[in-house]
Amino acid sequence: MLSRTAENLFWMARYMERAEATARLLTMGQRMAILPGAHHRDEWRSVVRATGALNHFPEGAQVTESDAIAFLMLDLDNPSSIRSCLLKARANAKSARTMLTQDMWEALNEGWRKLDSYDVAEARQQLPALIDWVKTRVMTFRGAAHSGQLRNEGHDFLRTGSALERAQMTLRLLDVKYYVLLPETEVVGGNRDHYQWTSVLYALSGARAFHHIYGGTYTPWQITDFLVLNRLFPRSIAYCYDQLAYRLNRLAGWHNARAACHETVREMVADLEKLDSGEIFRAGLHETVQNGLTRTNRLGVEIAQAYHFG
């Protein structure tokens, strides 16, 4: 496969996953913002910070819901906005058209300019419906790839990009909750803390899966273990790392060569396997998250180097 085609598939999957993840971040921001005292804690600034783009807003200035929606959903100058991600995913798809099924292309192409017609006021008013539309488009694309695409190296590049982006967003959502949104230690374990932790589960569509494993108890360390260590939940860090290892091993087989990315992902999986229940929360969730983000960023660079992207 040409490296340019592989790169298009890899980034197409990343952009689609990022669009959905940003929509989930906006949902989480809305849930957090209705809590008492939210305007004092500036939850929306924290949500923007989770995307790594806080430098867009002046230091000390409050970020409103309208600001967050404009920047994270509609702003074409923000390369991680939902609108930008969907446009770039479609551009990548056009360049790799022969590797896609008809259903995959239609999922990317249908209504691709929908967000062009919205201003901030309209998007804010219709935010739940727009978020559902984004999630439906991404899930339709994902389902089309799962049911119809050949299981060749193109599919492996697609799944590699998706797993890498998903791992990063789960890490960022955890960082929003623990490090940014809740610095007031006196309310840890209180009603607001409980509501925020369950909001993380809902943002990741993990509430029912969590309940199936833990029953009706919701503690920060259980939720942390579930979202980081559970190998059966498809949005957990462990599951994403396992997928990355599996897909990169398949790519090594296709190309009959291994590179630095293969050793990095092996270490990532092995390090998570060493952690016991509750250890992440005791050792420091923020430190664990930042380490995870650093390693996944490095892995992305090593994948690009190994397969000669760009």
Side-chain angles (χ1 to χ4, degrees):
M1 175 180 290
L2 294 174
S3 60
R4 181 61 179 166
T5 302
E7 183 178 13
N8 283 323
L9 291 167
F10 177 81
W11 276 104
M12 176 178 59
R14 291 198 68 172
Y15 286 134
M16 291 298 281
E17 195 72 34
R18 189 176 300 178
E20 182 188 9
T22 303
R24 291 175 180 276
L25 261 179
L26 287 169
T27 298
M28 184 176 174
Q30 275 202 320
R31 289 177 64 88
M32 298 291 192
I34 65 175
L35 293 173
H39 64 287
H40 295 302
R41 298 189 307 276
D42 202 357
E43 261 84 341
W44 287 110
R45 170 175 283 272
S46 303
V47 169
V48 172
R49 178 172 178 167
T51 68
L54 189 58
N55 58 352
H56 178 83
F57 295 91
E59 182 66 30
Q62 186 174 14
V63 179
T64 66
E65 181 180 66
S66 293
D67 293 333
I69 291 171
F71 183 65
L72 297 179
M73 178 170 278
L74 302 177
D75 191 352
L76 284 178
D77 292 329
N78 173 17
S80 293
S81 74
I82 293 172
R83 187 177 171 198
S84 291
C85 286
L86 294 178
L87 291 175
K88 286 188 284 191
R90 183 179 180 275
N92 278 276
K94 286 180 68 177
S95 298
R97 181 71 179 83
T98 58
M99 299 296 296
L100 309 183
T101 69
Q102 183 65 26
D103 288 339
M104 290 171 70
W105 171 249
E106 289 177 359
L108 285 163
N109 200 45
E110 183 180 338
W112 66 281
R113 299 197 64 129
K114 180 181 178 73
L115 294 179
D116 293 1
S117 62
Y118 282 84
D119 59 25
V120 176
E122 291 171 325
R124 185 180 180 189
Q125 184 179 25
Q126 299 184 40
L127 186 60
L130 287 175
I131 287 173
D132 284 345
W133 176 80
V134 172
K135 289 165 65 176
T136 299
R137 294 263 56 76
V138 176
M139 287 187 280
T140 301
F141 169 80
R142 191 181 296 131
H146 177 76
S147 62
Q149 192 179 32
L150 290 173
R151 267 37 176 185
N152 54 18
E153 62 176 315
H155 186 75
D156 288 325
F157 278 113
L158 189 84
R159 295 293 296 273
T160 299
S162 179
L164 184 66
E165 192 69 34
R166 182 175 290 190
Q168 289 188 338
M169 186 49 69
T170 298
L171 287 164
R172 290 192 182 108
L173 277 169
L174 283 168
D175 212 27
V176 169
K177 166 61 195 79
Y178 190 73
Y179 180 68
V180 184
L181 290 186
L182 192 59
E184 319 101 303
T185 57
E186 66 271 15
V187 298
V188 172
N191 289 335
R192 191 168 77 207
D193 188 48
H194 176 271
Y195 184 85
Q196 289 182 343
W197 276 107
T198 55
S199 293
V200 177
L201 286 176
Y202 281 110
L204 292 169
S205 298
R208 290 199 173 207
F210 177 89
H211 183 78
H212 179 77
I213 293 172
Y214 291 100
T217 60
Y218 292 88
T219 64
W221 47 91
Q222 287 174 326
I223 294 173
T224 299
D225 283 352
F226 177 72
L227 295 179
V228 177
L229 300 179
N230 189 286
R231 308 196 103 80
L232 301 180
F233 178 56
R235 294 187 183 277
S236 75
I237 306 304
Y239 185 94
C240 292
Y241 283 7
D242 286 347
Q243 278 291 301
L244 285 166
Y246 174 70
R247 296 298 168 182
L248 287 173
N249 281 332
R250 279 177 55 89
L251 287 170
W254 289 113
H255 292 262
N256 196 27
R258 302 181 71 83
C261 60
H262 298 93
E263 179 60 23
T264 296
V265 76
R266 186 197 66 78
E267 293 175 355
M268 289 162 62
V269 171
D271 287 347
L272 274 192
E273 288 176 339
K274 297 174 185 176
L275 296 177
D276 295 326
S277 177
E279 188 173 342
I280 295 171
F281 201 83
R282 291 192 299 269
L285 177 58
H286 176 62
E287 291 75 13
T288 300
V289 166
Q290 289 303 308
N291 179 57
L293 287 171
T294 298
R295 297 179 86 173
T296 51
N297 285 333
R298 186 179 76 192
L299 181 63
V301 172
E302 290 174 351
I303 291 170
Q305 292 171 342
Y307 298 104
H308 310 292
F309 292 173

